[in-house]
């Protein structure tokens, strides 16, 4: 199946700083990517839908000014957590939709810890 | 989105078959049934999907009830590497691109005993 990568796989940052997470589709072009967040022992929660060349669509309750999403190319979407706080510590997972196979492929996730 | 209901947890022994049930009584005629699984500290992995007929692939089989109100994911011989959370998700047939949002429920935590 298609491969989606994320970088970094884990990051520790200090409260108040910003962190950028990259999501790449390695062997296919993805006009649409998705960002999820998962807290311990909970299911994945969709944060936003990222469309190449246009603004992201955020789910209800997700602050768009705090979680900045950029989808500048057909293979790369980035999520920037601005002014991170300890409550933003979570497992962030991206996925990319392959319009040829009509399937959605997930990245391995990024563990963010804010101290 | 049509909802699915799965048991919170199930247990199996290694080398034995596992049947993971999913109820989706409000499924519409155009909804596909998808199964993903998530190993600890990893992103979800696609397992299988189907519409009306039973499906088989190298990972598992999907048995869909005739009325489509329920389905069962079958792992023919469970291994320790199959221990994961299994999610049953419905996707509208005509959705694509930004409409292809997947709504994850709580899933079933499968424990495989050696």
């Amino acid at each position: 199946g298609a491969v989606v990568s994320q970088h970094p796989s884990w990051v520790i940052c200090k409260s108040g700083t910003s962190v950028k997470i990259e999501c790449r589709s390695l062997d296919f072009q993805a006009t649409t990517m998705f960002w999820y967040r998962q807290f311990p022992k909970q299911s994945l929660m969709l944060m936003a839908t990222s469309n190449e060349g246009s603004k992201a669509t955020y789910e209800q309750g997700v602050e768009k000014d705090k979680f900045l999403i950029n989808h500048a190319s057909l293979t790369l979407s980035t999520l920037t957590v601005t002014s991170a706080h300890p409550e933003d510590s979570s497992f962030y997972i991206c996925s990319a939709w392959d319009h040829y196979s009509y399937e959605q492929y997930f990245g391995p996730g990024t563990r963010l810890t804010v101290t | 989105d049509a909802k699915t209901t799965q048991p919170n947890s199930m247990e199996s022994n290694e080398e034995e078959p596992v049947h993971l049930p999913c109820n989706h009584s409000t499924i519409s005629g155009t909804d596909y049934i998808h199964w993903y699984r998530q190993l600890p500290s990893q992103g979800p992995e696609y397992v299988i999907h189907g519409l009306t007929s039973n499906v088989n692939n190298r990972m598992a089989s999907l048995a869909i009830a005739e009325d489509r109100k329920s389905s069962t994911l079958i792992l023919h011989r469970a291994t320790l590497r199959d221990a994961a959370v299994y999610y049953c998700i419905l996707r509208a047939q005509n959705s694509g691109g930004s409409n292809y949002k997947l709504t994850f429920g709580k899933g079933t935590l499968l424990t495989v005993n050696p």
Side-chain angles (χ1 to χ4, degrees), chain B residues 15-18 56-62 74-78:
Chain B
E15 302 293 312
E16 291 183 356
V18 181
N56 299 297
N57 66 21
R58 63 176 180 81
M59 289 181 69
S61 295
L62 177 59
I74 303 167
L75 305 179
H76 295 286
R77 290 179 65 193

Side-chain angles (χ1 to χ4, degrees), chain B residues 6-109:
Chain B
Q6 299 177 252
N8 290 332
S9 63
M10 289 186 67
E11 207 167 316
S12 172
N13 295 320
E14 204 174 5
E15 302 293 312
E16 291 183 356
V18 181
H19 291 233
L20 297 165
C22 180
N23 287 319
H24 28 77
S25 58
T26 59
I27 190 171
S28 76
T30 56
D31 285 341
Y32 277 94
I33 302 161
H34 282 251
W35 284 81
Y36 285 81
R37 71 180 186 181
Q38 186 179 25
L39 279 65
S41 298
Q42 295 187 29
E45 175 187 27
Y46 167 81
V47 178
I48 200 167
H49 78 280
L51 184 62
T52 56
S53 303
N54 294 343
V55 185
N56 299 297
N57 66 21
R58 63 176 180 81
M59 289 181 69
S61 295
L62 177 59
I64 301 172
E66 200 167 326
D67 62 6
R68 300 210 327 126
K69 293 186 176 183
S70 66
S71 61
T72 303
L73 178 70
I74 303 167
L75 305 179
H76 295 286
R77 290 179 65 193
T79 69
L80 296 178
R81 287 176 293 180
D82 291 322
V85 177
Y86 287 78
Y87 297 99
C88 169
I89 303 170
L90 302 183
R91 173 179 72 85
Q93 182 180 25
N94 296 322
S95 66
S98 59
N99 293 322
Y100 190 36
K101 295 193 297 186
L102 295 179
T103 301
F104 284 79
K106 294 183 179 180
T108 297
L109 175 62

